[in-house]
Amino acid sequence: MDLGVKNSKELAAGLMFLAIGAFIVYVTSGYDMGTARRMGPGYFPMGLGLILCVIALIMVGRSLVRVDENSEPSCPTLFELRVVGAVLFGSLLFAFLIKPAGLLTTVAAMVLVGSFAMRGYGWLAALLSAAALSIGSVIVFIWLLGQPMQVIGPLFRF
Amino acid sequence: MDLISNLALGFSEAFSSTNLLYAFLGCLLGTLIGVLPGLGPAATIAMLLPITFTLDPSAALIMLAGIYYGAQYGGSTTAILVNIPGEASSVVTALDGYQMARQGRAGVALSTAAIGSFVAGSVATLAIAALAVPLAGLALKFHAAEYFALMVLGLIASVVLAQGSLLKALAMIVLGLIAGTVGIDVTSGSYRLTFGFVDLLDGLDIVAVAMGLFGLGEVIHNLTRGEERRTAYTSQIRGLLPARSDIRRMSGPVARGTLLGTVLGILPGGGALLSSFASYAVEKRLSPFPQEFGKGAIEGVAGPESANNAGAQTSFIPMLTLGIPSNVIMALMIGAMMVHGIQPGPSMMTDQPALFWGLIASMWIGNLMLLVLNLPLIGIWVRLLTLPYKYLFLGIMTFCAIGVYTLASNSADIYIMVFFGFLGFVFRRLDCEPAPFLLALVLGPMMEEYLRRAMLLSRGDPMIFIERPISATLLSIALISLLAVSLPAIRRKRDEALQE
């Protein structure tokens, strides 16, 4: 993945900011700019988008010239992707399940998915964590703090 | 004496039994979460914010202040006992504090930190009380141009004083300002960057973004980095009280650190971090035993710990008097205040005096509580901070999801959190610090508003920022410090100083 680039992290960051900046400029170009005296909704974000592009271009330029000895490859490893996937998908699952399934099963499902983020967690440990955390959060958040959530949602009521 | 009557009002508010209870709970929870591995103060506060939303405003603020001090103290505890600073400002504490712990003087190091912090906190509280009124008066002289210039300076200062690449930090600031424009534009009523999502109309919720960047982001970061070995010096915590010779050696550093921290903390972007580094450098130069530094010198713990606590405290000043957060934690505090319908700024003092002075009084109470609470509980903290990450990260995930969901019983906030959790991973992977992003996100809408007002007043002439003396001064300080750090020679010096 090393294309003769001397600082691949700076290059990657520069390209990311450049893409975001260009995207923002593109989107905000559809907004009303107004004038410097009476700024429209597009003036401030468009200006920022342009500034971001300039900063990003400097970063890209520098990354091609300057050497950074500590630079590691910017490509994520498979294990990193697994961690990101487990943590984020677990949290998303919470958003999907909380209304229909209620807090008890939702937390358990999230914890089971989340446990994939760590190598060698083991299914027994995962089940125990899921049980402890789901019961614990029902006690703390619903019974003690009185948050408006259901223990068991409509999905499991017949 | 206005100062005394104001403080009396504050103490009568803060000393009500419920508020004392919340101050206590805040300190306890703050320290509890703060000593856990992989959770810095920003993540701690973001996680605990939702708990305070059910309280009435003054109890909530008091509890938050307690959480803040607790989290700070938790950071020092881990720095001393396991050589893992919970946050940047306790990096310096780890240098000598951990060495003291290795020599079996962990108890002395911890109590030095606690005593130093208490002294510094007391002085800084008085400083806030004394300075708040005149500064709020000054704030009334500020117009749109000055506010805009001050925010620019604050953002630049937070970059200049941080570690790492200047360009990346600047890019993160601009990105944060852009993210701040998401939602309905207040002036024109048109939708900006909402991409058709109804839930984005009110803008990005600060708490959801912070939980994503700092809560989930740090979980992912810690898990991908692999577990660090934490060996705490648990068996050797005996003899908490410093000996008479220790007290003699620490009194000077505590006094100087307090002074340094109190002054530097007021500066935008300065706060705790700069104060502790500056104090360490000063003590090393003044000490009769400079060769002991880095090998367990008590001055190296006493000075920086006092300085960072004083600085942490006086960084409330710009927020309370001007409504401008000077660092990420203050940005989160503003977010919490807004949930309670409090607009921090010069009018807070006159409109809600009991709340304002109660908060200031509770700062002192929070410091006192840390002193009486933490020294006896050190044994518990030690056990907590060696908790394997395996049992922790799932709990953090649970806390983040429930906390964000209960903000408004809305799953959309979780989607925002997950999105920023992913961004947090990408940012960290590319060595971009997420803290300036969050600060800019909070400042963005205010900056745009002041920019618009200033330009309206000047009929579209940007010279207004240079013609007005205060604004010109603030902007030139920002420009000079930016130019200074980009010069290679000074830059190297800064990196050395921050590394030392």
Side-chain angles (χ1 to χ4, degrees):
Chain A
M1 172 65 207
D2 195 1
L3 308 167
V5 175
K6 291 174 176 146
N7 187 343
S8 68
K9 263 192 187 175
E10 180 147 9
L11 177 67
L15 291 177
M16 174 183 76
F17 288 126
L18 189 62
I20 299 175
F23 177 68
I24 296 296
V25 171
Y26 168 74
V27 174
T28 52
S29 63
Y31 299 167
D32 176 21
M33 281 301 124
T35 59
R37 182 177 175 183
R38 288 190 185 282
M39 292 182 189
Y43 201 98
F44 192 64
M46 162 81 101
L48 291 170
L50 290 173
I51 296 176
L52 188 60
C53 289
V54 172
I55 297 177
L57 282 174
I58 301 177
M59 284 172 72
V60 171
R62 260 183 23 154
S63 72
L64 300 174
V65 192
R66 290 197 358 172
V67 190
D68 178 8
E69 298 90 23
N70 307 327
S71 183
E72 311 153 40
S74 54
C75 214
T77 61
L78 263 181
F79 173 64
E80 281 179 318
L81 291 179
R82 169 174 152 182
V83 171
V84 173
V87 171
L88 297 185
F89 183 66
S91 305
L92 273 184
L93 209 56
F94 185 97
F96 297 143
L97 288 178
I98 181 70
K99 282 237 163 76
L103 191 63
L104 199 65
T105 27
T106 302
V107 170
M110 178 177 76
V111 169
L112 287 178
V113 172
S115 70
F116 279 98
M118 190 173 252
R119 276 201 192 100
Y121 204 92
W123 60 270
L124 189 64
L127 279 177
L128 284 177
S129 307
L133 282 168
S134 55
I135 295 169
S137 34
V138 166
I139 294 174
V140 172
F141 288 96
I142 299 187
W143 292 348
L144 289 179
L145 292 172
Q147 296 289 354
M149 287 179 289
Q150 289 176 306
V151 180
I152 290 169
L155 192 65
F156 298 111
R157 280 194 229 133
F158 303 102
Chain B
M1 281 302 280
D2 268 356
L3 178 63
I4 292 174
S5 66
N6 284 335
L7 280 179
L9 171 68
F11 276 102
S12 65
E13 173 83 6
F15 265 120
S16 79
S17 52
T18 44
N19 285 349
L20 271 181
L21 176 72
Y22 286 119
F24 171 79
L25 275 179
C27 285
L28 188 70
L29 281 174
T31 320
L32 192 83
I33 310 283
V35 294
L36 293 177
L39 283 169
T44 305
I45 291 179
M47 270 175 61
L48 293 176
L49 274 181
I51 297 182
T52 65
F53 290 164
T54 50
L55 307 175
D56 73 273
S58 98
L61 279 189
I62 285 169
M63 186 168 172
L64 275 174
I67 291 173
Y68 176 39
Y69 299 132
Q72 285 259 337
Y73 189 78
S76 317
T77 308
T78 55
I80 290 171
L81 290 177
V82 282
N83 201 15
I84 295 168
E87 51 169 329
S89 68
S90 41
V91 167
V92 194
T93 310
L95 295 177
D96 280 286
Y98 183 64
Q99 293 303 325
M100 283 180 77
R102 288 187 59 175
Q103 292 158 15
R105 281 158 56 81
V108 179
L110 286 168
S111 56
T112 302
I115 296 167
S117 298
F118 175 70
V119 173
S122 308
V123 174
T125 305
L126 272 179
I128 296 181
L131 285 174
V133 177
L135 271 178
L138 180 72
L140 294 178
K141 291 205 185 81
F142 272 38
H143 292 284
E146 282 80 17
Y147 271 110
F148 180 78
L150 190 62
M151 291 180 188
V152 172
L153 175 60
L155 286 174
I156 297 292
S158 73
V159 168
V160 168
L161 299 173
Q163 277 170 301
S165 156
L166 189 66
L167 275 177
K168 282 178 184 166
L170 281 176
M172 292 298 282
I173 284 185
V174 177
L175 199 58
L177 291 174
I178 293 173
T181 65
V182 169
I184 298 180
D185 172 33
V186 268
T187 315
S188 64
S190 53
Y191 297 174
R192 291 194 292 187
L193 303 175
T194 54
F195 307 107
F197 293 110
V198 184
D199 291 300
L200 286 179
L201 292 185
D202 289 332
L204 295 165
D205 189 277
I206 299 162
V207 179
V209 174
M211 292 253 215
L213 284 177
F214 296 104
L216 295 187
E218 280 179 17
V219 165
I220 294 173
H221 181 68
N222 290 330
L223 284 173
T224 48
R225 203 178 39 178
E227 196 154 0
E228 60 203 354
R229 294 185 63 80
R230 287 186 156 228
T231 38
Y233 288 87
T234 44
S235 55
Q236 288 144 324
I237 302 184
R238 268 176 264 111
L240 278 178
L241 289 182
R244 187 161 299 194
S245 59
D246 290 329
I247 293 180
R248 208 173 310 125
R249 281 182 65 174
M250 68 189 262
S251 54
V254 167
R256 283 188 290 270
T258 303
L259 194 71
L260 257 178
T262 306
V263 175
L264 291 177
I266 304 174
L267 303 179
L273 176 65
L274 179 64
S275 321
S276 59
F277 280 106
S279 164
Y280 192 77
V282 167
E283 292 313 324
K284 198 171 176 182
R285 196 141 298 173
L286 289 181
S287 167
F289 330 95
Q291 72 282 359
E292 277 184 31
F293 277 75
K295 294 182 192 128
I298 194 167
E299 291 92 342
V301 176
E305 273 300 296
S306 312
N308 93 37
N309 204 45
Q313 193 128 339
T314 49
S315 61
F316 270 96
I317 291 182
M319 180 186 81
L320 290 174
T321 56
L322 302 171
I324 298 177
S326 57
N327 55 44
V328 179
I329 289 163
M330 289 303 128
L332 285 170
M333 294 288 257
I334 286 198
M337 288 184 170
M338 285 175 170
V339 170
H340 287 290
I342 305 164
Q343 180 68 50
S347 55
M348 183 180 162
M349 203 183 301
T350 43
D351 297 349
Q352 290 156 307
L355 183 72
F356 182 86
W357 294 104
L359 175 64
I360 288 180
S362 70
M363 292 177 180
W364 185 77
I365 295 174
N367 279 298
L368 182 66
M369 283 205 176
L370 280 183
L371 191 65
V372 292
L373 181 80
N374 283 319
L375 293 181
L377 291 181
I378 280 174
I380 297 178
W381 306 145
V382 168
R383 212 160 303 152
L384 277 177
L385 58 79
T386 45
L387 213 64
Y389 205 62
K390 185 176 174 177
Y391 301 114
L392 264 179
F393 78 96
L394 293 171
I396 298 173
M397 274 177 72
T398 310
F399 222 92
C400 285
I402 297 178
V404 167
Y405 177 75
T406 49
L407 289 175
S409 294
N410 188 350
S411 291
D413 286 326
I414 296 192
Y415 302 141
I416 293 176
M417 175 180 76
V418 168
F419 179 71
F420 280 93
F422 178 70
L423 273 188
F425 163 72
V426 175
F427 289 156
R428 279 192 183 79
R429 198 68 181 67
L430 298 173
D431 296 335
C432 299
E433 269 298 311
F437 175 87
L438 193 72
L439 185 59
L441 172 68
V442 176
L443 283 175
M446 291 190 248
M447 264 182 99
E448 179 177 20
E449 186 55 32
Y450 288 122
L451 178 67
R452 277 178 166 174
R453 268 194 233 163
M455 294 296 268
L456 191 62
L457 275 175
S458 72
R459 295 157 203 269
D461 182 4
M463 292 303 283
I464 187 174
F465 294 106
I466 304 169
E467 281 160 0
R468 298 180 64 96
I470 301 181
S471 147
T473 317
L474 294 171
L475 285 178
S476 38
I477 298 174
L479 189 67
I480 290 169
S481 46
L482 196 57
L483 287 178
V485 210
S486 29
L487 292 178
I490 298 183
R491 199 180 161 73
R492 224 170 295 129
K493 267 244 165 78
R494 177 194 78 152
D495 290 344
E496 270 171 28
L498 285 174
Q499 216 128 78
E500 205 178 305

